[in-house]
């Protein structure tokens, strides 16, 4: 075979060099582990390799050694003219290649191991080297070789290469999920791309020569002699003789013996896989694959599972045989046909009764997988829906077989069975009983299986209204065997009670919604429907029916999940008419529940129906319903307008203002309504209204209105002369909310201790309530103002050198009268939660990103801090395609970035960042460039240094290092 696939050794060596560098870096970062044996040590001591490979936990592993040996042997050289030359053919490189072959021989040339651990280019290089040492002349087509006349090890090498070729073609056709990788450096990306291109080139050559490989392997099946594979010993013998790389050594039968049956078994399997792969294009190949796989099975049964060289996955082979039996059945196969092939042929011929027979027989053993059963049912169901109505009955019978199989294995009854059994009749009942009888062999069945089938039949009886169909089941021989006489009596009594009011002469009712309001129906059924329905009219009809049956019951208590706030329930439960009371309570409870789960459409329908009902007799409840509908409309609008558009919704704003200006006394209202109204006005920048027009009584009585007024006033005056005055008022309110009350308590020892109560009511609301309210806001200016306030408060309380920066921070007071009373932890948590929330609203706000970065910087999380500093610069410079505004990257921010890089050992980046300061920090830059242990790309960053002074220093420093290295080398040479 022509060695077209032996492309660029330089690329492979480059890739493997990178891998070696990564290994060395990894081992250097783990000083606690024992030192790894280096590749060159195996050159110095011949016995070291065999001793190393015998270790159970050898480090490096055998496959890693193969990579290292081939990597070193294929390294290109550089001549005096600085030109890259291919690797030289010297004793060192030949020995390294031989060592790689010896490691593969230790692994017994197991392609499963080699393919799993080595890339295609590396394994291609290894097998080509094997061909070379096995006396296969370079450039020879393998199809022209007479394997029977070749030495045993040479024939084995040719077959091993061609087996790998067709296996690689088959493996390349499978979809592989790509490995997720982080950001890579350009040189690493280039190496990955080069390896990918090299792999594609090799695959292209292998596919072009696939027919030659198949011909070679087919010819090997005719050989009836034993084969021999190279071992470490035979390879050592080759090393003793001159000219081994040119293939001048005669081999003997001293290698690892592989019997003719073992070789034919593995080759038949590999040929079967490639034929099966080609069957998608040429269906005749499925017949060849079938013959090869069945030949493999016969040979496996003859030689057994043990083999010196090969391993075949029995389950995968069985799957291939089943697939071939379906795709390419033969006369021999039909005689020994499996259920899969029979079902496939019956589906093609439309013999659905044959399929039913197989399913029914299989129910006794349940050998067919559940997924296969369901796939057949889906296929038949699709044909039925496409207009083949005759298949409806077949679908039910297949589904019945699957259902009985499911319940015998402890699986629940599927939805599809319930759908197909919605209209039971005699034929369906007869077939179900037949399936149960044949599936459950009563004498051999376990007690658990008997109880399972009995429970299934009992549930069928309880679910039917036609007593004649019930009698068909209850009088069946199997049913009588499964249930005791007492159990049958209890079941019959339950059925009689349930159907006592149903006229047996009429057709059974199949839908509850077909029942008229005057029908006599079980109270439990009506209560169940009352819980489930969301239709206001239907709720009213059910309650009328229930009160007609039993008028003194409190049906608003049917479900414990129906909850109405206490301020409303007192009024509703005071209504004298029981029907009206239950209806209003249930409608409101369901409406509030729908609002809580964000099902606003149903919430509005239910509350509107409730409003229509109470308008006739209760102005107080009418206003309650209007308030709740306003809340639902706000929720709906905020859900739709996210993020909010610039257009103000005038009708909704008018209703919100009307609620805040309402002066009707004694109207109960939930706090959440006022809270959402204030948040809505702040989000729509209604600062003028909140500052000047909100009633004073509401500001004094409602803490959220007061907070909203102070917030809007502060935002309104941010750039005005009164900014500090309005800011001070808001500051005092927030400080009071974050304060704790100190209480003195006398302990058991008589001493008085100081206790901080974090849930004190010193402020207008609790801190948790404040944070909950702030997370309803979305207006950027309001959020920026709040962040500024809490950052200032945090900076004053925390004894830290690194303050957090924020916009408008100068408008807040510079001191706290009583800092000991403020809960420092609560303020810190609030700042972190608030900035996290604001970044969910707008992750591209550079000011908020800088605050998050400062928080991480203050808490010594330098990697995260640097990440957010870079994000802040990226969002305001179109990902650094424009200059970052100086107000974003101030000197303080750049100095913090420098410190982050320095503490992360990215010293070259430190030198680069020093150039961005208004006055370049040469001292820090020079010190950073002197660092030897740098975790960044170092040399790759030098092109980003533009300051001449730093460049001159860097040049001198590198020159000193080179001179030191040169002098040290000369000193060592003189000593020698």
């Amino acid at each position: 075979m022509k060695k077209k696939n032996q492309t660029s050794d330089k690329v492979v060596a480059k890739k493997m060099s990178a891998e070696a560098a990564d290994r060395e870096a990894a081992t250097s970062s783990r000083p606690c582990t024992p030192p790894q044996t280096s590749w060159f040590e195996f050159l110095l001591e011949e016995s070291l390799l065999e001793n190393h490979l015998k270790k159970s936990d050898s480090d490096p592993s055998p496959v890693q050694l193969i990579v290292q040996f081939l990597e070193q042997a294929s390294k290109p050289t550089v001549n005096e003219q600085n030109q890259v030359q291919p690797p030289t053919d010297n004793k060192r490189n030949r020995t390294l290649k031989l060592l790689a072959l010896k490691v593969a021989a230790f692994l017994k040339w197991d392609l499963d191991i080699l393919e799993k651990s080595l890339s295609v280019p590396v394994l291609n290089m290894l097998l080509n080297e094997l061909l070379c040492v096995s006396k296969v002349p370079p450039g020879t087509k393998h199809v022209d070789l007479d394997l029977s006349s070749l030495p045993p090890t040479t024939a084995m090498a040719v077959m091993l290469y061609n087996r790998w070729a067709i296996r690689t073609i088959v493996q390349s056709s499978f979809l592989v999920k790509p490995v997720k990788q982080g950001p890579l450096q350009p040189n690493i990306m280039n190496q990955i791309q080069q390896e990918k291109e090299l792999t594609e080139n090799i695959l292209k050559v292998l596919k072009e020569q696939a027919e030659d490989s198949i011909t070679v392997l087919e010819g090997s099946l005719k050989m009836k002699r034993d084969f021999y594979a190279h071992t470490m010993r035979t390879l050592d013998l080759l090393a003793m003789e001159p000219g081994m790389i040119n293939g001048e050594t005669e081999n003997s039968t001293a290698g690892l013996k592989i019997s003719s049956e073992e070789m034919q078994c593995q080759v038949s399997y590999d040929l079967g896989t490639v034929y099966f792969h080609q069957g998608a294009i040429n269906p005749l190949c499925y017949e060849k694959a079938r013959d090869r796989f069945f030949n493999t099975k016969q040979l496996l049964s003859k030689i057994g599972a043990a083999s010196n060289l090969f391993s075949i996955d029995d389950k995968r082979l069985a799957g291939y045989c089943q697939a071939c039996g379906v795709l390419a059945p033969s006369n021999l196969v039909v005689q020994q046909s499996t259920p899969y092939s029979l079902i496939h042929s019956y589906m093609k011929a439309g013999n659905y009764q044959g399929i039913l027979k197989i399913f029914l027989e299989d129910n006794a053993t349940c050998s067919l997988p559940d997924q296969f059963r369901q796939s057949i049912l889906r296929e038949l169901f699709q044909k039925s829906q496409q207009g083949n109505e005759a298949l409806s009955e077949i679908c039910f019978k297949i589904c019945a077989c699957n259902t009985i199989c499911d319940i015998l294995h402890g699986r629940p009854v599927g939805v599809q069975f319930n759908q197909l059994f919605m209209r039971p009749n005699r034929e369906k009942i007869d077939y179900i009983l037949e399936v149960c009888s044949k599936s459950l062999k009563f004498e051999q069945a376990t007690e658990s299986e008997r109880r399972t089938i009995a429970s299934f039949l009992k549930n069928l009886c309880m679910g039917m209204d036609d007593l004649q169909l019930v009698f068909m089941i209850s009088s069946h021989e199997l049913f009588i065997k499964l249930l005791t006489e007492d159990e049958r009596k209890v079941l019959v009594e339950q059925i009689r009670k349930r159907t006592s009011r149903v006229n047996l002469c009429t057709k059974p009712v199949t839908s509850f919604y077909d029942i008229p309001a005057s029908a006599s129906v079980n109270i439990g059924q009506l209560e169940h429907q009352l819980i489930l329905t969301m239709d206001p009219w239907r709720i009213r009809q059910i309650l009328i029916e229930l009160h007609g049956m039993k008028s003194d019951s409190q049906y608003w208590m049917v479900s414990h999940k129906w909850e109405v706030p206490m301020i409303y329930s007192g009024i509703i439960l005071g209504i004298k008419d029981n029907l009206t009371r239950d209806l209003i309570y249930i409608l409101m409870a369901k409406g509030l529940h729908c609002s809580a789960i964000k099902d606003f459409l149903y919430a509005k329908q239910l509350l509107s129906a409730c409003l229509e009902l109470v308008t006739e007799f209760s102005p107080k409840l009418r206003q309650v319903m209007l308030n709740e509908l306003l809340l639902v409309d706000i929720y709906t609008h905020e859900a739709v307008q996210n993020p909010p558009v610039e257009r103000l919704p005038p009708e909704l704003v008018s209703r919100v203002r009307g609620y805040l200006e309402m002066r009707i006394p004694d109207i109960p209202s939930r706090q959440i309504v006022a809270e959402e109204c204030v948040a809505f006005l702040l989000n729509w920048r209604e600062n003028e209204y909140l500052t000047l027009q909100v009633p004073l009584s509401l500001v004094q009585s409602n803490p959220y209105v007061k907070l909203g007024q102070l917030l809007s006033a502060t935002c309104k005056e941010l750039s005005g002369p009164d900014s500090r005055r309005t800011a001070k008022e808001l500051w005092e309110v927030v400080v009071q909310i974050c304060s704790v009350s100190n209480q003195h308590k006398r302990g058991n020892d008589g001493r008085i201790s100081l206790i901080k109560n974090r849930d004190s009511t010193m402020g207008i609301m609790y801190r948790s309530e404040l944070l909950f309210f702030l997370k309803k806001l979305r207006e950027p200016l309001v959020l920026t103002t709040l962040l500024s306030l809490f950052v200032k408060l945090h900076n004053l309380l925390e004894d830290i050198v690194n303050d957090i920066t924020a916009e408008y921070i100068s408008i807040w007071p510079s001191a706290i009268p009583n800092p000991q009373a403020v809960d420092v932890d609560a303020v810190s948590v609030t700042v972190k939660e608030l900035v996290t929330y604001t970044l969910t609203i707008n992750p591209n706000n550079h000011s908020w990103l800088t605050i998050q970065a400062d928080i991480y910087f203050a808490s010594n999380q330098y990697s995260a801090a640097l990440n957010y500093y870079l994000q802040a610069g990226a969002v305001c410079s179109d990902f650094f395609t424009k200059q970052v505004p100086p107000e974003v990257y101030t000197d303080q921010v750049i100095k913090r970035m420098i410190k982050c890089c320095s503490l992360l050992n990215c010293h070259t980046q430190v030198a680069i960042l020093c150039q961005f300061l208004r006055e370049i920090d040469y001292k820090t830059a020079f010190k950073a460039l002197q660092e030897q242990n740098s975790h960044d790309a170092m040399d790759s960053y030098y092109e980003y240094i533009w300051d001449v002074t730093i460049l001159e220093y860097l040049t001198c420093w590198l020159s000193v290092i080179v001179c030191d290295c040169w002098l040290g080398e000369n000193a060592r040479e003189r000593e020698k």
Side-chain angles (χ1 to χ4, degrees):
M1 182 180 289
K2 293 182 180 179
K3 297 180 65 177
K4 295 180 183 177
N5 48 359
Q6 297 183 21
T7 56
S8 185
D9 284 349
K10 173 187 171 184
V11 176
V12 179
K14 193 172 183 181
K15 169 63 180 173
M16 293 190 293
S17 298
E19 293 175 354
D22 291 341
R23 285 194 302 274
E24 291 175 9
T27 50
S28 66
S29 64
R30 297 194 300 270
C32 296
T33 58
Q36 192 182 65
T37 307
S38 299
W39 61 270
F40 60 83
E41 295 181 49
F42 298 100
L43 289 172
L44 304 176
E45 186 179 347
E46 292 183 4
S47 62
L48 180 60
L49 179 62
E50 189 168 357
N51 295 332
H52 178 82
L53 294 175
K54 288 179 180 178
K55 296 178 183 177
S56 58
D57 55 347
S58 56
D59 185 21
S61 65
V63 289
Q64 289 175 332
L65 280 177
I66 292 175
V67 173
Q68 292 180 24
F69 291 148
L70 293 179
E71 163 198 325
Q72 297 299 326
S74 57
K75 269 188 175 179
T77 57
V78 180
N79 59 14
E80 296 179 354
Q81 288 78 28
N82 205 25
Q83 295 175 335
V84 178
Q85 301 292 325
T88 56
D89 184 15
N90 52 29
K91 183 177 180 181
R92 169 188 173 276
N93 289 346
R94 289 195 298 269
T95 305
L96 285 170
K97 292 176 183 178
L98 191 66
L99 287 173
L101 292 174
K102 289 173 70 174
V103 177
F106 174 80
L107 297 174
K108 296 184 178 180
W109 305 101
D110 190 333
L111 286 180
D112 288 336
I113 297 175
L114 297 175
E115 288 170 342
K116 182 179 179 181
S117 306
L118 299 178
S119 63
V120 171
V122 174
L123 190 49
N124 177 60
M125 186 186 301
L126 179 71
L127 294 178
N128 273 294
E129 198 58 40
L130 175 64
L131 293 173
C132 197
V133 301
S134 298
K135 296 183 10 177
V136 178
T140 303
K141 281 190 174 184
H142 292 180
V143 73
D144 297 332
L145 296 174
D146 182 8
L147 293 182
S148 60
S149 64
L150 294 176
T153 51
T154 304
M156 184 64 202
V158 173
M159 292 171 63
L160 186 66
Y161 180 88
N162 287 282
R163 279 185 53 226
W164 168 75
I166 64 173
R167 286 164 64 106
T168 304
I169 292 170
V170 173
Q171 288 292 331
S172 67
S173 67
F174 299 151
L175 293 177
V176 180
K177 185 178 181 181
V179 179
K180 290 186 178 180
Q181 296 178 328
L184 299 175
Q185 296 177 2
N187 56 340
I188 301 296
M189 292 178 65
N190 290 338
Q191 291 169 8
I192 293 174
Q193 183 62 29
Q194 287 173 354
E195 185 187 14
K196 182 179 178 182
E197 292 174 358
L198 183 55
T199 301
E200 290 174 353
N201 292 335
I202 294 173
L203 285 173
K204 182 180 178 181
V205 174
L206 292 179
K207 289 176 182 178
E208 290 173 355
Q209 299 173 348
E211 291 303 321
D212 287 352
S213 295
I214 292 172
T215 303
V216 170
L217 294 176
E218 285 285 2
S220 70
L221 293 177
K222 301 174 184 176
M223 299 171 62
K224 302 301 181 183
R225 71 175 191 182
D226 294 336
F227 293 86
Y228 291 84
H230 275 300
T231 61
M232 297 181 73
R233 180 175 174 276
T234 59
L235 291 170
D236 279 332
L237 292 174
L238 289 173
M240 297 177 187
E241 302 177 16
M244 64 172 178
I245 298 301
N246 296 325
E248 297 174 1
T249 303
E250 286 293 336
N251 285 320
S252 65
T253 58
L256 177 64
K257 180 180 178 181
I258 296 100
S259 67
S260 174
E261 290 82 3
E262 286 180 308
M263 194 64 184
Q264 288 183 8
C265 181
Q266 183 64 55
V267 171
S268 293
Y269 179 77
D270 290 337
L271 284 171
T273 59
V274 75
Y275 285 143
F276 193 88
H277 167 70
Q278 293 174 344
I281 301 173
N282 182 9
L284 293 176
C285 289
Y286 285 127
E287 297 180 6
K288 295 181 181 179
R290 177 200 64 207
D291 296 338
R292 290 293 166 236
F293 285 131
F294 281 106
N295 186 38
T296 305
K297 287 187 71 174
Q298 291 174 353
L299 289 169
L300 272 178
S301 62
K302 182 178 178 181
I303 64 177
S307 172
N308 287 329
L309 193 60
F310 307 121
S311 60
I312 296 175
D313 188 344
D314 292 337
K315 291 184 179 179
R316 196 171 186 86
L317 176 60
Y320 273 126
C321 289
Q322 288 179 357
C324 289
V326 171
L327 296 170
S330 66
N331 295 331
L332 176 64
V333 176
V334 170
Q335 292 172 5
Q336 309 171 354
S337 55
T338 63
Y340 298 97
S341 57
L342 283 175
I343 290 173
H344 184 77
S345 60
Y346 289 158
M347 288 287 286
K348 277 187 174 180
N351 184 3
Y352 303 121
Q353 294 300 327
I355 298 174
L356 271 177
K357 183 181 177 182
I358 293 175
F359 270 60
L360 196 54
E361 291 173 352
D362 185 72
N363 264 33
T365 59
C366 290
S367 60
L368 293 175
D370 178 58
Q371 295 85 352
F372 179 74
R373 284 172 163 267
Q374 296 298 332
S375 67
I376 295 296
L377 178 58
R378 279 195 297 272
E379 189 172 345
L380 292 173
F381 197 68
Q382 288 173 358
K383 291 182 178 180
S384 173
Q385 289 181 327
Q386 290 169 1
N388 193 345
E389 297 180 359
L391 283 178
S392 298
E393 182 183 352
I394 299 295
C395 287
F396 170 76
K397 291 183 176 181
I398 294 286
C399 186
C401 291
N402 289 350
T403 301
I404 301 303
C405 188
D406 285 342
I407 62 176
L408 284 173
H409 283 79
R411 294 188 288 267
V413 177
V415 176
Q416 196 166 17
F417 176 80
N418 292 324
Q419 292 174 340
L420 295 173
F421 195 67
M422 190 174 290
R423 298 179 182 274
N425 54 37
R426 287 178 175 274
E427 290 74 17
K428 290 182 179 180
I429 298 296
D430 275 336
Y431 190 77
I432 289 174
L433 292 171
E434 180 187 355
V435 175
C436 290
S437 301
K438 292 185 177 181
S439 303
L440 183 76
K441 294 182 179 180
F442 191 81
E443 290 74 15
Q444 292 86 15
T446 64
E447 185 62 26
S448 174
E449 291 174 337
R450 294 178 185 179
R451 301 311 302 171
T452 300
I453 295 294
S455 176
F456 170 69
L457 294 176
K458 283 169 62 178
N459 289 335
L460 284 185
C461 292
M462 293 298 295
M464 293 186 294
D465 293 327
D466 191 337
L467 289 182
Q468 295 178 4
L469 297 180
V470 174
F471 181 74
M472 285 180 63
I473 298 176
S474 61
S475 61
H476 194 270
E477 180 184 0
L478 177 64
F479 191 81
I480 294 172
K481 286 182 180 180
L482 290 172
L483 271 71
T484 64
E485 185 177 353
D486 291 339
E487 287 175 327
R488 292 198 302 274
K489 286 181 179 179
V490 171
L491 177 62
V492 170
E493 187 63 27
Q494 290 175 343
I495 294 172
R496 282 178 179 170
K497 286 181 179 179
R498 185 173 58 83
T499 60
S500 59
R501 296 185 180 88
V502 179
N503 186 355
L504 296 179
C505 299
T506 61
K507 184 180 178 181
V509 178
T510 58
S511 173
F512 180 83
Y513 290 98
D514 296 333
I515 302 174
S518 60
S520 295
V521 190
N522 184 275
I523 289 179
Q525 288 178 304
L526 286 172
E527 289 180 344
H528 181 68
Q529 289 297 322
L530 184 63
I531 292 172
L532 294 180
T533 186
M534 304 300 292
D535 182 6
W537 180 87
R538 186 61 197 157
I539 293 172
R540 176 178 174 275
Q541 291 295 102
I542 294 172
L543 283 173
I544 291 173
E545 185 71 17
L546 285 170
H547 278 275
M549 295 178 179
K550 195 174 181 181
S551 60
D552 57 344
S553 294
Q554 295 180 332
Y555 292 108
W556 60 273
M557 299 177 66
V558 165
S559 174
H560 68 279
K561 292 187 178 180
W562 290 342
E563 295 180 355
V564 172
M566 290 290 294
I567 55 173
Y568 299 156
S569 62
I571 303 174
I572 296 173
L573 297 179
I575 297 174
K576 294 180 180 180
D577 181 68
N578 291 342
L579 176 60
T580 306
R581 175 202 64 197
D582 290 344
L583 182 56
I584 294 173
Y585 189 96
I586 294 171
L587 287 173
M588 188 169 194
K590 284 177 175 282
L592 294 178
H593 173 72
C594 290
S595 177
I597 63 173
K598 302 186 185 302
D599 192 347
F600 302 125
L601 181 62
Y602 274 121
K604 193 162 185 178
Q605 287 180 2
L606 291 160
L607 292 174
S608 297
C610 202
L611 172 64
E612 184 180 352
L613 185 62
V614 300
T615 300
E616 302 174 0
F617 65 90
S618 177
K620 186 178 292 187
L621 282 176
R622 176 182 178 275
Q623 189 59 50
V624 167
M625 298 305 163
L626 287 172
N627 295 345
E628 292 296 333
L629 280 169
L630 172 62
L631 183 61
V632 171
D633 286 339
I634 292 175
Y635 284 151
T636 306
H637 187 271
E638 294 294 318
V640 174
Q641 306 290 346
N642 191 14
V645 295
E646 294 299 322
R647 186 173 59 84
L648 193 68
E651 186 270 339
L652 189 55
V653 171
S654 177
R655 289 170 59 196
V656 170
R657 291 181 176 182
Y659 168 80
L660 294 176
E661 296 170 4
M662 180 178 60
R663 290 180 172 83
I664 304 176
D666 301 328
I667 298 295
S669 179
R670 291 195 294 158
Q671 187 75 276
I672 187 68
V673 183
E675 185 180 342
E676 290 292 342
C677 287
V678 173
F680 176 81
L681 292 175
L682 284 171
N683 286 333
W684 284 97
R685 298 179 290 279
E686 288 288 291
N687 296 331
E688 195 75 27
Y689 174 80
L690 282 171
T691 305
L692 303 175
Q693 299 179 33
V694 176
L696 181 62
S697 59
L698 188 61
V699 174
Q700 294 172 347
S701 61
N702 194 306
Y704 294 101
V705 177
K706 181 176 182 179
L707 182 64
Q709 186 186 57
L710 293 174
L711 259 175
S712 59
T714 304
C715 292
K716 182 184 173 185
E717 296 292 337
L718 272 178
S719 303
D722 293 336
S723 60
R724 290 183 177 273
R725 179 185 60 79
T726 55
K728 184 180 179 183
E729 294 177 4
L730 178 61
W731 170 272
E732 290 173 349
V733 168
V734 172
V735 168
Q736 206 169 21
I737 293 173
C738 294
S739 298
V740 293
S741 61
N742 295 332
Q743 299 178 358
H744 295 82
K745 181 180 180 181
R746 188 177 298 278
N748 295 330
D749 56 355
R751 296 182 180 180
I752 297 177
S753 59
L754 185 65
I755 299 176
K756 285 189 175 183
N757 181 12
R758 296 185 185 277
D759 292 328
S760 67
T761 55
M762 294 179 64
I764 60 176
M765 64 181 72
Y766 292 124
R767 187 187 65 87
S768 58
E769 294 174 336
L770 171 65
L771 190 58
F772 186 74
F773 172 73
L774 297 184
K775 289 184 178 181
K776 298 178 185 294
L777 304 176
R778 295 204 313 269
E779 212 288 313
L781 184 60
V782 175
L783 291 173
T784 300
T785 304
L786 285 166
L787 271 176
S788 174
L789 187 155
F790 277 102
V791 164
K792 180 69 174 183
L793 186 57
H794 179 271
N795 289 344
L796 291 177
L797 292 172
E798 290 280 357
D799 186 17
I800 55 176
V801 178
N802 304 308
D803 284 350
I804 303 171
T805 57
E807 293 181 282
Y808 310 117
I809 203 166
S810 60
I811 66 173
W812 309 108
S814 56
I816 305 173
N818 186 14
Q820 292 78 16
V822 181
D823 189 344
V824 179
D825 294 337
V827 172
S828 179
V829 169
T830 304
V831 170
K832 292 175 182 176
E833 288 195 29
L834 188 57
V835 73
T836 302
Y837 166 72
T838 56
L839 288 175
T840 63
I841 299 299
N842 182 9
N844 295 324
N845 188 305
H846 67 83
S847 174
W848 300 347
L849 288 167
T850 305
I851 293 174
Q852 181 69 284
D854 286 344
I855 291 173
Y856 280 128
F857 184 83
S859 57
N860 301 329
Q861 299 181 56
Y862 300 110
S863 179
L866 185 61
N867 178 20
Y868 278 95
Y869 283 133
L870 291 172
Q871 286 188 50
V875 298
C876 61
S877 64
D878 197 9
F879 288 92
F880 299 107
T881 57
K882 303 173 184 176
Q883 183 179 0
V884 180
E887 62 271 16
V888 177
Y889 274 2
T890 61
D891 270 7
Q892 181 182 2
V893 171
I894 294 174
K895 286 179 180 178
R896 290 185 176 184
M897 293 172 69
I898 290 172
K899 184 175 181 181
C900 290
C901 291
S902 177
L903 292 171
L904 293 172
N905 287 338
C906 298
H907 301 294
T908 315
Q909 297 176 24
V910 170
I912 292 171
L913 288 173
C914 286
Q915 301 173 111
F916 288 92
L917 295 169
R918 288 181 174 81
E919 293 184 5
I920 298 176
D921 188 353
Y922 291 112
K923 180 180 179 181
T924 303
F926 295 164
K927 183 180 178 182
L929 291 173
Q930 292 177 18
E931 293 287 345
Q932 299 296 315
N933 185 22
S934 186
H935 292 173
D936 55 22
M938 297 183 68
D939 298 1
S940 300
Y941 285 133
Y942 290 161
E943 60 184 287
Y944 300 106
I945 299 177
W946 63 83
D947 183 78
V948 176
T949 305
I950 296 177
L951 280 172
E952 289 177 348
Y953 178 84
L954 179 62
T955 305
C956 294
W957 177 250
L958 292 177
S959 300
V960 169
I961 294 175
V962 171
C963 289
D964 288 345
C965 293
W966 182 77
L967 290 173
E969 187 68 27
N970 285 345
R972 284 191 292 271
E973 289 293 333
R974 285 195 299 272
E975 289 176 1
K976 291 180 180 179

